[in-house]
């Protein structure tokens, strides 16, 4: 089982088929600091597309304000990402899951890697750096729990042109918080100081998580059948996808990150920077009680592209419109950007960050247990996702 995520984050995680490999010794003009290293590394392939059309909000704001904005116009072409995945699949057959699986005795190691995309741009603008590390951890651990795996450890990569120790400490504190929420160890990481490579005060992040699941307990979608119920777990907001389009909408709106989200008590910056929900403990608890046949992490590609990834061929999803509360931040994004419904559903999580495909019995149990969850749809014969 391998990984493909198309959208703001295009990721391909490939199951290792060769032996473990030593990290090669390299030398360059940049300074790189390993905070801790293990001697062996999983051979995990990662390809990402995180496109920023420009750093200039005034430039982003230019254009015909009467036309609806799209993710592609904001600089992220999901269809191009899909085409790249198709080509890579010819070289590495079997990709498509949210995490890469590596057999180990009676278990699988499940690995995932990701970043936080252009949400970093808003961190730089708002000065909110202490939660972006939570986003980083969330993006990887939420992927690997879709296979039923318990996260074991996490590693991070922090790169900047000039190391601001106080700033880096804030970021890594968020990573520590995310690992605590995930009940996994921060095993190590790397800090790279690369002069002239990033703008002053800016940095980039990536993260890597590894978990484990018994082979007989792996969740791979094979048991999904017509009539299974789709249960949605609420998100905290935009999470860590779609920010290239968010930034374009913000520029068009004429509002600043310090302005209030219309109709709400929080600022736009606070609403957009709300950290990604880490679903690890909640989802693993639900899985332990049985009846979960598939899990989709709603990231880049929204409902439209992510839910079908867990389905066997010939099955699709029917999503019930108005079956959960759409968060105010999404209503503002759609109105301010004049964005069509289909574009919203293929770009954002719309208030649902994780979708469980459950038997009818399990669905009733989940909905009656007290934690917020919504019956958002069902499995049907067909392909893709339909809305009604």
């Amino acid at each position: 089982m391998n990984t493909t995520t198309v959208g703001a984050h295009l990721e391909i995680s490939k199951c290792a088929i060769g032996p473990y490999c030593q990290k090669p010794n390299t030398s360059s003009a940049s300074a790189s600091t390993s905070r801790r290293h293990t001697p062996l590394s999983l051979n995990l392939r990662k390809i990402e597309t995180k496109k920023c059309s420009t750093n200039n909000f005034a430039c982003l704001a230019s254009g015909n304000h009467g036309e609806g904005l799209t993710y592609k116009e904001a600089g992220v072409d999901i269809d191009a990402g899909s085409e790249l995945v198709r080509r890579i699949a010819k070289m590495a057959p079997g990709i498509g899951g949210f995490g890469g699986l590596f057999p180990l005795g009676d278990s699988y190691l499940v690995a995932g890697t990701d970043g936080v995309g252009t949400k970093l741009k808003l961190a730089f603008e708002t000065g909110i750096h202490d939660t972006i590390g939570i986003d980083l951890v969330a993006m990887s651990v939420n992927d690997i729990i879709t296979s039923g795996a318990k996260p074991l450890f996490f590693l991070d990569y922090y790169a900047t042109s000039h190391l601001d120790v106080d700033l880096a400490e804030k970021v890594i504190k968020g990573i520590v918080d995310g690992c605590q929420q995930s009940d996994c160890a921060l095993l190590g990481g790397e800090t790279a100081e690369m002069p002239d490579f990033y703008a002053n005060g800016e940095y980039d992040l990536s993260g890597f998580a590894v978990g484990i699941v018994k082979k007989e307990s792996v969740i791979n979608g094979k048991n999904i059948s017509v009539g299974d119920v789709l249960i949605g777990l609420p998100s905290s907001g935009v999470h860590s996808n779609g920010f290239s389009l968010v930034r374009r909408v913000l520029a068009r709106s004429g509002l600043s990150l310090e302005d209030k989200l219309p109709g709400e008590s929080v600022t736009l910056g606070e609403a957009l920077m709300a950290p990604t929900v880490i679903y690890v403990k909640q989802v693993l608890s639900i899985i332990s009680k049985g009846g979960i046949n598939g899990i989709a992490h709603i990231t880049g590609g929204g409902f439209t592209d992510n839910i079908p990834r867990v389905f066997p061929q010939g099955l699709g999803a029917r999503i019930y419109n108005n079956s959960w509360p759409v968060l105010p931040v999404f209503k503002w994004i759609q109105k301010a950007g004049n964005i069509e419904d289909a574009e919203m559903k293929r770009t954002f999580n719309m208030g649902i960050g994780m979708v469980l495909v459950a038997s009818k019995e399990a669905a009733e149990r989940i909905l009656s247990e007290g934690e917020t969850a919504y019956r958002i749809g069902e499995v049907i014969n067909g392909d893709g996702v339909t809305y009604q």
Side-chain angles (χ1 to χ4, degrees):
M1 185 88 80
N2 303 288
T3 299
T4 310
T5 302
V6 182
H9 302 243
L10 166 64
E11 61 181 50
I12 294 95
S13 298
K14 185 158 80 80
C15 196
I17 55 176
Y20 289 106
C21 58
Q22 291 282 354
K23 180 177 178 179
N25 292 322
T26 59
S27 60
S28 69
S30 63
S32 181
T33 304
S34 294
R35 292 193 290 279
R36 190 167 165 197
H37 281 301
T38 50
L40 300 176
S41 61
L42 186 64
N43 180 19
L44 184 68
R45 170 90 180 261
K46 170 77 175 189
I47 298 178
E48 290 189 7
T49 300
K50 292 187 179 126
K51 236 180 148 178
C52 313
S53 54
T54 179
N55 296 336
N56 188 323
F57 276 6
C59 179
L60 282 171
S62 64
N64 187 345
H65 288 201
E67 296 180 358
L69 294 176
T70 66
Y71 209 10
K72 184 174 182 179
E73 186 183 22
V76 179
D77 189 342
I78 294 177
D79 293 324
S82 298
E83 172 60 18
L84 178 59
V85 170
R86 186 188 68 79
R87 296 185 189 187
I88 292 173
K90 294 179 180 180
M91 299 178 280
I95 64 173
F98 287 93
L101 274 65
F102 185 91
L104 184 70
D106 63 352
S107 300
Y108 286 112
L109 293 178
V110 184
T113 182
D114 213 330
V116 295
T118 57
K119 189 172 187 176
L120 283 172
K121 285 292 182 186
L122 270 66
F124 306 149
E125 291 282 330
T126 61
I128 299 173
H129 300 282
D130 56 345
T131 58
I132 200 73
I134 296 174
D135 293 302
L136 183 69
V137 175
M139 294 305 293
S140 288
V141 297
N142 285 345
D143 271 354
I144 67 176
I145 62 171
T146 63
S147 297
K150 180 192 182 303
L152 296 174
F153 57 84
F154 184 84
L155 297 100
D156 69 272
Y157 174 79
Y158 178 97
T160 186
S161 284
H162 173 71
L163 182 59
D164 180 331
V165 175
D166 292 336
L167 177 59
E169 182 183 25
K170 290 179 182 178
V171 174
I172 294 171
K173 175 60 167 60
I175 294 171
V176 171
D177 290 345
C179 288
Q180 290 173 343
Q181 291 182 37
S182 308
D183 196 23
C184 71
L186 178 58
L187 196 61
E190 178 135 316
T191 301
E193 190 170 23
M194 300 185 290
D196 305 321
F197 199 80
Y198 298 96
N200 288 336
E202 298 192 357
Y203 55 85
D204 200 8
L205 292 173
S206 59
F208 318 87
V210 175
I212 193 166
V213 61
K214 293 289 186 183
K215 287 182 177 177
E216 67 267 19
S217 301
V218 69
I219 296 174
N220 54 22
K222 290 182 179 179
N223 294 326
I224 294 174
S225 59
V226 172
D228 280 355
V229 179
L230 303 183
I231 300 294
L233 304 182
S235 71
S236 59
V238 184
H239 282 183
S240 301
N241 296 94
F243 278 89
S244 295
L245 182 52
V246 167
R247 293 171 56 244
R248 185 68 179 266
V249 170
L250 184 64
R252 172 181 283 195
S253 74
L255 299 177
S256 76
L257 292 168
E258 291 77 30
D259 289 323
K260 295 290 186 183
L261 175 64
E264 303 297 317
S265 61
V266 298
T267 66
L268 279 165
E270 291 167 339
L272 293 170
M273 287 298 295
T276 305
V277 175
I278 291 178
Y279 296 97
V280 172
K281 294 178 181 178
Q282 181 184 9
V283 168
L284 291 181
S285 176
I286 292 171
I287 290 171
S288 70
K289 298 170 186 175
I292 302 301
N293 298 323
I295 306 175
H297 183 200
I298 308 304
T299 56
F303 283 4
T304 303
D305 286 357
N306 283 295
I307 294 176
R309 292 169 58 188
V310 304
F311 285 175
Q313 188 172 2
L315 295 182
R318 177 184 291 128
I319 300 295
Y320 307 144
N321 291 324
N322 304 314
S323 58
W324 72 92
V326 175
L327 299 177
V329 68
F330 295 113
K331 295 178 181 179
W332 173 79
I333 289 169
Q334 183 166 20
K335 182 178 180 180
N338 191 25
I339 302 171
E340 294 183 358
D341 284 347
E343 188 73 13
M344 292 291 294
K345 292 169 182 174
R346 199 187 181 198
T347 305
F348 300 109
N349 66 62
M350 301 303 293
I352 298 293
M354 192 74 76
V355 173
L356 312 178
V357 185
S359 66
K360 292 179 180 178
E361 296 78 11
E364 293 301 325
R365 183 190 71 238
I366 294 166
L367 294 170
S368 66
E369 283 182 338
E371 289 201 66
T372 304
Y374 304 98
R375 186 192 300 266
I376 66 167
E378 63 183 307
V379 179
I380 60 174
N381 285 312
D383 297 303
V385 178
T386 59
Y387 301 86
Q388 74 169 38

